Amino acid sequence: MTHPAQPTASHFINGTYVEDTEGTPIPVIYAATGEQIATVYAATPSIVEQAIVTAKEAQKEWAKMTGTERGRILRRAADIIRERNHELSVLETYDTGKPLQETLVADATSGADALEYFGGLAASLTGEHIPMGEDWVYTVREALGLCVGIGAWNYPTQIACWKGAPALACGNSMVFKPSETTPLCALKVAEILHEAGLPAGLYNVIQGLGEVGASLVTDPRVDKVSLTGSVPTGKKVYAAAAAGMKHVTMELGGKSPLVIFDDADLENAVSGAINANFYSSGQVCSNGTRVFVQKGIKEKFLARLAERTATAKLGDPMDESVNFGPMVTENQMNIVLGYIEKGKEEGARLVCGGKRADMEGYFVEPTIFADVTDEMTIAREEIFGPVLSVLEFETEEEVVARANDTEFGLSAGVFTQDISRAHRVIGNLEAGSCFINSYNDAPVEAPFGGVKASGVGRENSKEAIKHFSQVKSVYVRMGDCEAAF
Ligand code: NAD
C-alpha cells in the first residue's frame, strides 16, 4: 500500500503535478523509524526547462494585476493552510522527523503567517513622488521577474512560504527546489496556492540535489536566487549568481552566541538556552550553541540546565507528548555523533547526553558540554544538532570580543536584568537576528538574516520586499529639453 506521505508526483509545474521517472530516484526516509515512506525523482533537464519557461511566461500577467488582487490570493492560501494545519503538520513530521508537538505550532502556521503578512502588504507597495521644481521624479517598485528559491531541510514548509510569499506579493514568479532530504512539504504549498486561485505557472516546485539547484542558478532567464543552506553552499551559489549579475538572498549557517550574565533570571536563562539548542533537535540555523555564562552563576546554571534537559521526552514524533525528535537523516546523526566525540577528545566536560539514544530512529540525546574553550572544534563549527557548549566568562568586554570571534553572524542573545547592559551588549555583537531575555523568536514581522558569512539580505518583514523588488526612477520634464548643441 502506498504510504500517505507519497506525493501525487515529484514536481508541480504550471498548476499541476508532473512526473518524469527518468530522473534519479530520491528516497524519502522517515527519520523516526528509518523506513522509506516515499520516492520522488530528481528533475531532468526537460523538467527544469518546463518550470523555467512556464514561470517566465506567467510572471508577466501576474505583475500587471493589482497588489490587492495578488494579496487576496495569498491570504486565501494562508486560510487554507490554517484549516489543514493538522494534516500539513503530520506531513512535516514525516518529511523531517520533528515532533508533531512542534510542527503543529511552528511550520505550516509560520508559512501561513508569511502568506497573510505579505498578502496584506501587496497592495501597499508603491513608489514615491519627488518634486524637482516644475519637474518631478517618480519611482515605481517593480518585480524582479523569475525568482528561484532553494531550501534547506530543517523547515521545508516554512522556507517554501518565506520565499514564495514575498516573491509573489511583489509580482514575481518562483521556481522552488526543496532540499532533497525533505522534498514533500513544498509540493503541498504549491497545491494550496493554486487552490487559492494562484494562476498556473507562478509557483513551481521541482526536485533534485545540488546539481538541479545549480542549473537553476546559472540559467540566464532567472533574475534572483534566494538560498537557505550552509555557508559552503552559499559561497558556491552566490558566486554562480554573481556571474549572471542576479539578485541574491543568502540565509546561511551560524555558530551564534548566547550570553548569560550573573544577574539573569536563572529559570528564564535556562529556558533560553534550551530554546537556543534543543528545539527541532538542534537543527536550527539561528541556534545559540555557544552559551557564554558568567562565572558567578555558571555552576547553578549548569545544574538547573542539566536537570531540566533530563526531562526531555524522546520518542514517536507523532505522539504529541514527545518534545524531542530524531536527526533528519542517519548521515546527520553520524555527523553530530562525530562532533560529540571531538568534544570529548578535546577535553570538554560532558554534563549530559553524549550518545545515540537507545531506540529506533536517528535520535541523538540532548547533549551539554561544560568547560568548553574558544578553540575547541565544537565551539567553532556549526554542528546542526543537539549539542550545547557552555563557555565561562568574567567581564562584558571579554565576552563581546570572544562572541564576535567567528566567521558567522546570524544570531545572538543576551540574558540580564540590566537594561542598559542588554542593549549595549546587543549593540556590540555582530549578528543580524538578536534576542534580549529570549531566544529564537522569529515572527514574520521581524527581519530575519545574518551578517558576515551567515548571509546577505533579509527575509520576512518589510525588509524582504526590498529583496524581491527593484525601483525604477522616472524623471519628468515639464518644459523644453535643452542640449549643448
Ligand atoms: P545545504 O547547503 O547542504 O543545502 C541547501 C540547499 O542547497 C539544498 O536544497 C541543496 O540541494 C542545495 N544545493 C547544494 N549545492 C548546490 C549548488 N551548488 N547550487 C545550488 N543549490 C545547491 O544545507 P542543508 O544541509 O540542507 O541545511 C543545513 C544548513 O542550512 C545549515 O548550515 C543551516 O544553518 C542552514 N540554514 C540556514 C537558515 C537561515 O535562515 N539562515 C535556515 C535553515 C537552515
Side-chain angles (χ1 to χ4, degrees), residues 391-409:
L391 303 94
E392 182 185 298
F393 75 94
E394 293 191 30
T395 69
E396 179 182 320
E397 201 185 0
E398 169 207 338
V399 79
V400 167
R402 288 171 61 195
N404 284 339
D405 183 19
T406 167
E407 63 164 325
F408 300 109

Side-chain angles (χ1 to χ4, degrees), residues 132-442:
M132 301 288 299
E134 277 195 350
D135 297 349
W136 75 90
V137 172
Y138 68 91
T139 66
V140 187
R141 187 158 286 282
E142 294 185 334
L144 298 174
L146 167 52
C147 301
V148 159
I150 300 176
W153 42 256
N154 55 346
Y155 283 86
T157 306
Q158 185 187 80
I159 295 172
C161 292
W162 280 19
K163 298 191 188 306
L168 292 169
C170 292
N172 303 286
S173 58
M174 176 157 275
V175 176
F176 185 79
K177 188 201 84 63
S179 163
E180 57 274 27
T181 307
T182 53
L184 306 178
C185 295
L187 290 167
K188 281 285 164 198
V189 171
E191 199 184 302
I192 288 172
L193 277 165
H194 288 83
E195 191 178 327
L198 188 73
L202 287 165
Y203 188 89
N204 309 279
V205 175
I206 65 171
Q207 308 294 348
L209 283 74
E211 62 193 19
V212 171
S215 71
L216 291 170
V217 174
T218 50
D219 193 290
R221 292 165 290 184
V222 168
D223 301 290
K224 161 157 191 148
V225 179
S226 176
L227 169 79
T228 297
S230 61
V231 172
T233 302
K235 287 181 179 166
K236 281 191 233 161
V237 171
Y238 199 177
M245 206 61 84
K246 298 181 201 308
H247 296 256
V248 294
T249 300
M250 295 280 145
E251 291 292 350
L252 309 177
K255 189 74 197 174
S256 301
L258 169 58
V259 181
I260 295 168
F261 285 95
D262 281 345
D263 69 340
D265 177 286
L266 183 67
E267 283 308 310
N268 286 336
V270 169
S271 297
I274 290 172
N275 291 340
N277 284 274
F278 299 136
Y279 202 68
S280 299
S281 304
Q283 303 166 110
V284 180
C285 51
S286 49
N287 270 0
T289 46
R290 289 182 296 145
V291 183
F292 290 94
V293 186
Q294 206 166 15
K295 201 171 176 185
I297 199 180
K298 195 189 84 180
E299 288 308 326
K300 256 197 290 183
F301 172 84
L302 267 172
R304 189 65 184 126
L305 177 66
E307 194 176 25
R308 284 179 56 184
T309 301
T311 68
K313 188 170 174 195
L314 285 65
D316 175 4
M318 295 295 176
D319 171 351
E320 282 184 47
S321 69
V322 164
N323 54 25
F324 192 89
M327 296 293 95
V328 72
T329 57
E330 187 173 15
N331 184 42
Q332 187 62 18
M333 175 187 73
N334 289 330
I335 290 172
V336 174
L337 292 173
Y339 275 112
I340 291 174
E341 286 316 306
K342 264 233 140 75
K344 293 178 191 164
E345 276 163 36
E346 293 180 12
R349 169 162 61 102
L350 186 65
V351 175
C352 75
K355 56 181 189 332
R356 182 175 183 175
D358 185 16
M359 60 198 335
E360 188 186 35
Y362 311 132
F363 287 84
V364 175
E365 293 175 348
T367 297
I368 300 169
F369 280 110
D371 304 341
V372 177
T373 57
D374 297 348
E375 318 69 52
M376 288 182 187
T377 310
I378 56 169
R380 302 217 68 82
E381 296 182 13
E382 184 184 46
I383 300 175
F384 226 57
V387 183
L388 183 161
S389 293
V390 172
L391 303 94
E392 182 185 298
F393 75 94
E394 293 191 30
T395 69
E396 179 182 320
E397 201 185 0
E398 169 207 338
V399 79
V400 167
R402 288 171 61 195
N404 284 339
D405 183 19
T406 167
E407 63 164 325
F408 300 109
L410 184 50
S411 289
V414 58
F415 275 79
T416 174
Q417 312 262 25
D418 176 341
I419 56 163
S420 307
R421 176 158 64 189
H423 294 289
R424 189 170 58 237
V425 169
I426 286 295
N428 287 326
L429 289 174
E430 296 161 0
S433 300
C434 299
F435 312 93
I436 292 177
N437 292 331
S438 186
Y439 207 92
N440 265 347
D441 311 83

Side-chain angles (χ1 to χ4, degrees), residues 76-113:
R76 202 178 290 143
D79 290 344
I80 300 175
I81 288 182
R82 288 210 180 87
E83 280 159 24
R84 300 201 194 140
N85 183 42
H86 195 273
E87 170 199 329
L88 295 169
S89 303
V90 168
L91 187 67
E92 174 93 21
T93 292
Y94 276 130
D95 221 2
T96 61
K98 292 187 292 182
L100 194 57
Q101 188 193 90
E102 270 188 30
T103 56
L104 280 170
V105 296
D107 292 282
T109 51
S110 159
D113 284 355

